[in-house]
Amino acid sequence: MTTFNRWARWVHIYSAAPVLLLMVFFAGTGLFLNHSNWSLGQTQESDLSLPLPTDLMSLDWDHESSTTALAVLHWLDHEHQVRGVDLSFEWESEEKLLLLYLDGPQGSYAVEAYYEEASAEVYRRQLPVLEMLNNLHRGKHVSGLWRWLSDLSALCMVLFCLSGFWLLTINTLKRRHSLSWVGIGSVVMVFTIFLMH
C-alpha cells in the first residue's frame, strides 16, 4: 500500500505539471462561456477584391470543381494568408461561380470566385481574441492536433483529481474534514443537475 501511495503522489504531481497552463485556460474560458452576456470585443469584417491568376483560369472549372476549389484555396493561402480548418465549397455552373467557405477558431472566410470575370471577392470575419479562445475550448473548427492536446489534458485532469481524492482519503488527520467538503460539493452538483430537469 505504501508503494501505491507513493505512486499516487507521483501521479498527482506530474499529471498536472505538463497541462497546468491548459487547466487554467479551460477554467478561464469556461467562465466566459458560462456568461455569454459578457462583452468579448468587436467582430471585425472586411472584404477584398482580387484578380485570379492565369494558372487558375486554365483549370477545368466545370468538370473538376473540387480540384479548382483546392487550387484557389492554395493560392489564397500562399499569396494572401487566407487560412482556416474546415472547408466547404459549391460550384454554380450557370453563373460560373465558385463559392468557398473556410472556418477556423479565429473567424471565417467566404470567397466568391467568378470564372468569367477572372476575379474573386474575399469576405473576412475576424473574431475577437476572447471569442477565439472560447472556440478553442469548445473544439469548434480546430485542427486534429488541438483535439489531441485537449484529450491529453482531459486525461491528465482526471488522473490529477482521482489521485488527489485518494491522497485525501489516506490522510488520517484531515480525512473527515476533507471528505466532508468533497461530499458537500458532490451533493450540490447532483442536486443542481436534478433541478435542471
Side-chain angles (χ1 to χ4, degrees):
M1 185 60 72
T2 304
T3 303
F4 183 82
N5 294 344
R6 190 181 304 116
W7 272 102
R9 289 188 182 91
W10 187 90
V11 169
H12 187 68
I13 293 170
Y14 292 104
S15 62
V19 294
L20 180 60
L21 187 59
L22 280 167
M23 292 174 72
V24 173
F25 164 78
F26 281 112
T29 51
L31 184 64
F32 284 116
L33 287 170
N34 200 38
H35 295 274
S36 57
N37 59 321
W38 289 0
S39 175
L40 301 179
Q42 294 294 322
T43 299
Q44 298 179 355
E45 297 184 357
S46 60
D47 59 88
L48 180 66
S49 298
L50 301 169
L52 291 171
T54 54
D55 57 333
L56 290 179
M57 299 305 299
S58 63
L59 298 175
D60 187 354
W61 289 48
D62 272 316
H63 300 97
E64 297 182 0
S65 57
S66 58
T67 303
T68 303
L70 292 176
V72 171
L73 180 63
H74 177 73
W75 165 67
L76 289 170
D77 179 16
H78 187 262
E79 296 293 334
H80 303 283
Q81 291 74 51
V82 174
R83 298 186 178 102
V85 177
D86 296 326
L87 169 69
S88 60
F89 74 93
E90 299 174 24
W91 169 245
E92 298 184 0
S93 56
E94 292 182 1
E95 298 182 28
K96 302 293 183 182
L97 171 63
L98 179 66
L99 299 171
L100 292 172
Y101 304 99
L102 194 60
D103 293 294
Q106 78 286 353
S108 61
Y109 291 92
V111 181
E112 298 177 354
Y114 297 90
Y115 176 76
E116 293 182 344
E117 298 177 15
S119 66
E121 296 288 333
V122 181
Y123 303 95
R124 180 187 183 193
R125 184 171 174 268
Q126 179 72 34
L127 298 175
V129 174
L130 290 176
E131 194 166 341
M132 182 268 289
L133 294 178
N134 284 348
N135 283 340
L136 290 177
H137 182 114
R138 292 179 292 196
K140 185 177 180 181
H141 305 305
V142 297
S143 65
L145 178 61
W146 177 259
R147 293 185 187 279
W148 178 85
L149 188 61
S150 298
D151 290 343
L152 177 63
S153 66
L155 177 61
C156 288
M157 290 176 199
V158 169
L159 290 174
F160 177 77
C161 292
L162 293 178
S163 59
F165 178 73
W166 175 256
L167 293 174
L168 285 177
T169 62
I170 64 173
N171 189 332
T172 54
L173 294 177
K174 297 183 179 180
R175 180 186 302 162
R176 184 186 300 263
H177 182 72
S178 300
L179 293 182
S180 296
W181 279 108
V182 171
I184 290 170
S186 300
V187 168
V188 169
M189 186 195 76
V190 172
F191 186 65
T192 303
I193 294 174
F194 176 77
L195 289 178
M196 292 169 61
H197 289 78

